[in-house]
Amino acid sequence: GIDPNFDKNRETAGEENGVTVWGPVEPPETLGIHGTHVAVDYDICVADGACLENCPVDVFTWVDTPDHPESETKVEPTREDQCIDCMLCVDICPVDAIDVDPG
Ligand code: SF4
Ligand code: F3S
């Protein structure tokens, strides 16, 4: 699953769709972690979609990630500032790709 200490163990590698990306990033195979308060490990996400479908405040948006080995779409936490820390997405993701830090 996602490293809960990614913000200490990784360095930022720019922004995509208004969301901070934590490297390493080497497309199309390696896409890093997207988001900070709500963080999605793009290299673990398999596009299950349960997070996006069940988030009560619609934090996530689908984005295309062509030729990524795990899945060709991912969820971008574009409205992570709206997150109410319910932890539903963290609990529901089948591959533990999401970390939410209520801190
Ligand atoms: Fe949405 Fe809850 Fe996940 Fe925050 S913790 S992104 S509110 S499902
Ligand atoms: Fe991906 Fe997990 Fe959501 S696989 S689409 S982060 S439920």
Side-chain angles (χ1 to χ4, degrees):
I2 185 171
D3 173 7
N5 296 315
F6 71 88
D7 54 334
K8 295 177 188 70
N9 296 334
R10 295 177 178 231
E11 291 182 5
T12 55
E15 269 196 11
E16 265 177 55
N17 308 305
V19 173
T20 298
V21 178
W22 301 79
V25 172
E26 200 169 325
E29 296 89 0
T30 307
L31 299 176
I33 290 177
H34 285 223
T36 303
H37 179 72
V38 179
V40 181
D41 192 323
Y42 269 33
D43 297 310
I44 295 175
C45 173
V46 293
D48 177 86
C51 57
L52 179 145
E53 289 161 18
N54 291 285
C55 174
V57 291
D58 291 333
V59 162
F60 303 101
T61 309
W62 286 117
V63 296
D64 291 328
T65 54
D67 299 323
H68 187 270
E70 297 298 340
S71 58
E72 300 211 328
T73 57
K74 310 284 179 187
V75 289
E76 193 81 277
T78 46
R79 289 177 292 274
E80 63 181 333
D81 58 323
Q82 300 295 305
C83 175
I84 57 171
D85 299 337
C86 73
M87 306 310 266
L88 184 149
C89 59
V90 172
D91 294 338
I92 208 170
C93 176
V95 290
D96 287 332
I98 306 180
D99 181 56
V100 172
D101 183 2

